[in-house]
Amino acid sequence: MTSVAGAARDGDRRNVSDVVGVLVLGACAAWSLITAAVHDGRPEGVLLALLAVAAGYAAGRISGALLPVAAPCAAALTALGLAVGLPRLAQGPEIVAPLGHAGATAALLTLAAGAACCAAWTTGSLVLRLLLRLLAVGIAVTSAALGSASGLVTCLAVLLCSLAAGRMRHRGPGILGLALAATAVSGLTWAVAGNAVPGGLAESLRGQLTPHRIDLWHDALRLAREDTALGVGPGRFGELSATAGQSLLPDGKPHSAPLQMAAEQGVTGVVLLAAAFCWLLYALWRSPRSTPVVLTAGAALTALAAIAAVGNALSFTIVSVGAGLLAGLATAHPLAEEPAPG
């Protein structure tokens, strides 16, 4: 009777988080269509990203239930192969174009490290667990070999958070900490865009982020202030940004997901973007998986949010699919009982 009651509670938790996810993603899609209709925008990119997240999440839930160890391991190897094998995601000699490609590479490597660590916590074999953690270390080394400093930092952060998660009895404080970390990075991005950072720190960040990227952020904040309610319309930043127009290889993006939403969809778009991330954390909190798996996936998704706050990673469909897939893997209900973390 106890096991039946526990299964019923797990089912109720999953149903609630799934309903919340449908409502949030549906609201994001509807709002992009509304702002596009008002300003003659192009919502295709937003709709494709939402579809990619939903498809990845569904695939993760199914594969995670059937193959709780093999599925995240295969996801990690696939993401690693894509980061290394796709030339458009690797850094090149150009000055402007790698802003987006470098972020996508770092995002894929971060998701790969998160998937490998999730697989490590899922298996009951100590040898396989060690091999999977060595795979995560290898992914971090690959980031360094590809010249992705941000990927190296985020992969190591995910690995360390995963190891620390094994000592946590309750996932609530960990989930709260991840939410605060994502908020801090987004807040710093807004502060830099609004010239609200002290001089010394501002100069240091300007050197790290490049003046071109910060000028794009200034343009995004200016456009957001011109129409706070609705923004300028999805896909129209490149048309209205002077900095983007002067770029040798413009991509029409401000290279910051929160600032892009603020510029193109107004304050409601920013709220919906934050709601989508909070839904992922909420789904992890309600997940029937073990706490180490949940917090490892949460750390990888938070690292992805940080990369997206200062880059263009979410404009790559494969990254959106990977984010949804990892979240689905970490919220799936395996058909077999998971081994206890040790």
Side-chain angles (χ1 to χ4, degrees):
M1 291 297 292
T2 303
S3 60
V4 173
R9 287 195 297 270
D10 289 343
D12 291 340
R13 288 199 297 265
R14 291 197 302 275
N15 290 336
V16 171
S17 62
D18 289 345
V19 170
V20 172
V22 169
L23 293 176
V24 171
L25 295 182
C28 292
W31 185 249
S32 68
L33 292 173
I34 292 172
T35 55
V38 173
H39 291 293
D40 195 23
R42 298 179 296 277
E44 295 84 1
V46 177
L47 297 177
L48 179 60
L50 293 173
L51 180 61
V53 171
Y57 186 75
R61 287 284 291 270
I62 296 171
S63 59
L66 298 175
L67 303 168
V69 178
C73 182
L77 293 174
T78 301
L80 176 61
L82 289 173
V84 174
L86 292 182
R88 291 194 62 189
L89 292 179
Q91 295 193 52
E94 299 91 349
I95 296 176
V96 178
L99 287 178
H101 300 157
T105 301
L108 282 177
L109 292 170
T110 301
L111 293 173
C117 291
C118 285
W121 279 119
T122 303
T123 181
S125 169
L126 295 179
V127 174
L128 183 55
R129 179 171 296 180
L130 176 61
L131 291 175
L132 288 169
R133 285 176 178 160
L134 288 176
L135 173 60
V137 174
I139 293 170
V141 173
T142 302
S143 301
L146 292 175
S148 176
S150 59
L152 175 61
V153 171
T154 53
C155 287
L156 290 177
V158 170
L159 179 58
L160 293 176
C161 288
S162 179
L163 294 174
R167 297 181 175 275
M168 297 190 67
R169 295 183 177 180
H170 304 287
R171 64 186 64 178
I175 294 291
L176 179 60
L178 295 174
L180 293 176
T183 302
V185 174
S186 299
L188 180 61
T189 303
W190 281 86
V192 172
N195 293 321
V197 178
L201 179 58
E203 288 301 320
S204 176
L205 291 174
R206 190 173 184 85
Q208 294 292 327
L209 298 170
T210 72
H212 175 72
R213 189 193 309 259
I214 293 180
D215 289 341
L216 288 172
W217 291 0
H218 291 330
D219 288 352
L221 192 58
R222 174 181 58 81
L223 294 175
R225 288 170 176 169
E226 290 178 359
D227 194 338
T228 305
L230 296 173
V232 298
R236 298 194 64 218
F237 174 81
E239 303 172 9
L240 303 175
S241 169
T243 303
Q246 295 170 359
S247 175
L248 295 177
L249 295 172
D251 59 5
K253 309 291 183 182
H255 294 273
S256 173
L259 289 173
Q260 180 174 350
M261 295 300 290
E264 296 184 347
Q265 299 188 41
V267 65
T268 303
V270 177
V271 172
L272 289 174
L273 178 64
F277 179 70
C278 290
W279 161 64
L280 290 176
L281 293 183
Y282 175 74
L284 291 173
W285 178 54
R286 308 281 287 193
S287 171
R289 303 298 299 273
S290 65
T291 295
V293 172
V294 166
L295 294 182
T296 297
L301 293 173
T302 301
L304 174 60
I307 294 172
V310 298
N312 199 28
L314 294 184
S315 295
F316 291 78
T317 303
I318 189 64
V319 175
S320 300
V321 172
L325 180 65
L326 181 59
L329 290 170
T331 56
H333 192 288
L335 299 182
E337 186 176 352
E338 283 190 276

